[in-house]
Amino acid sequence: MAITSELRDDGIRVVTMAHPPVNALTVQGWYDVAAALDEAGRDMDTHVVVLRAEGRGFNAGVDIKEMQHTSGFDALIGANKGCFAAFKAVYECPVPVVAAVNGFCLGGGVGLVGNADCVIASDDAYFGVPEVNQGALGAATHMARLVPQHLMRTLYFTARTIKASELVQHGSVLEVVPRAELDDAALKVAGEIAAKDTRVIRAAKEALNGIDPIDVNKSYRFEQGFTFELNLAGVSDELRDDFAGTEKSKR
């Protein structure tokens, strides 16, 4: 796994997630994302962050296999805390975060993107929160920042996905571009931000977070509590076993 961070001469810091095959992050991976964003915010030479990914898709959420191969609830609790740390780091990063989304953006990926300040997507990008299929809850807080309330509920209850092109009309995705042009498009927007006085932009980020109508950190922690309850009741294990069986039958 690799979470890399590179500061360009123009003040744009590019944070890249690369964890084949689908960028489903382990507990440590989520903490690594949080650390990269925290480091970016502390560095006054960083004027803006572009959060991107290598591979087939942006992010497929948590690494379910890690949970299945770990006894007890350590991996579950670790994933909850790691996701919380990563989402919080994006939201509270002192500089704006531009998410460059390619391919699938599911579960925890929506948590990252929903807390970003600007979203650019490739024409093959789609978003979803399939948690209910596996007996988990979370990221409704962040999906609600991408789509209106009733659509969010429909997507959540049905585990359907929504294309990036459909999110443009809701204003949550700024633009959709061919995949080959995604990085350039994200860097273009980031460059506009980086060219501003970083003291003003940092103050603006804090101000905008301060007037946000929803406390995303508290809201997401509330959601996570139900995942733990479902695991205690054994519901999550049953659904994950069913999911694993379905996936094997497809091969």
Side-chain angles (χ1 to χ4, degrees):
M1 177 191 304
I3 306 298
T4 60
S5 179
E6 177 187 1
L7 179 61
R8 292 162 39 113
D9 292 338
D10 55 6
I12 300 173
R13 183 178 290 274
V14 180
V15 175
T16 301
M17 298 177 289
H19 183 42
V22 294
N23 281 327
L25 301 184
T26 62
V27 170
Q28 186 58 53
W30 290 107
Y31 279 114
D32 289 344
V33 171
L37 270 294
D38 289 342
E39 178 190 10
R42 290 192 299 267
D43 181 3
M44 292 303 295
D45 289 331
T46 298
H47 292 190
V48 62
V49 172
V50 170
L51 180 61
R52 62 180 298 279
E54 291 286 350
R56 292 161 50 194
F58 181 78
N59 188 286
V62 301
D63 188 342
I64 298 298
K65 291 181 179 178
E66 183 178 33
M67 292 186 185
Q68 293 173 331
H69 297 153
T70 304
S71 60
F73 297 105
D74 288 349
L76 169 64
I77 294 173
N80 276 359
K81 290 184 175 180
C83 285
F84 179 80
F87 302 168
K88 184 173 185 289
V90 172
Y91 184 75
E92 296 185 353
C93 184
V95 299
V97 177
V98 177
V101 183
N102 63 294
F104 47 79
C105 180
L106 305 171
V110 170
L112 295 172
V113 172
N115 272 0
D117 299 284
C118 176
V119 184
I120 309 293
S122 58
D123 52 12
D124 64 344
Y126 61 93
F127 303 73
V129 279
E131 271 72 358
V132 296
N133 286 343
Q134 299 184 41
L137 297 178
T141 293
H142 312 94
M143 182 59 88
R145 296 168 67 82
L146 299 176
V147 299
Q149 183 69 211
H150 283 84
L151 180 54
M152 180 276 288
R153 287 172 178 255
T154 300
L155 293 172
Y156 205 78
F157 293 145
T158 63
R160 293 183 183 182
T161 60
I162 185 168
K163 296 178 180 179
S165 57
E166 297 177 66
L167 293 184
V168 173
Q169 65 184 328
H170 297 299
S172 50
V173 169
L174 178 64
E175 61 179 324
V176 173
V177 299
R179 185 157 181 171
E181 299 174 15
L182 178 60
D183 286 338
D184 287 341
L187 289 171
K188 180 180 178 181
V189 175
E192 293 180 35
I193 298 171
K196 312 295 185 186
D197 188 318
T198 189
R199 297 168 299 180
V200 177
I201 293 298
R202 285 170 177 259
K205 175 69 182 276
E206 184 176 356
L208 292 177
N209 280 6
I211 64 172
D212 222 330
I214 298 294
D215 183 335
V216 296
N217 296 327
K218 182 178 180 180
S219 178
Y220 179 56
R221 287 299 274 174
F222 178 78
E223 289 186 73
Q224 287 185 321
F226 290 98
T227 296
F228 191 68
E229 286 185 17
L230 290 168
N231 272 267
L232 285 175
V235 175
S236 298
D237 287 339
E238 293 174 12
L239 291 177
R240 284 178 193 140
D241 288 343
D242 291 343
F243 177 77
T246 301
E247 288 299 296
K248 286 180 180 178
S249 67
K250 291 179 181 178
R251 297 190 184 108

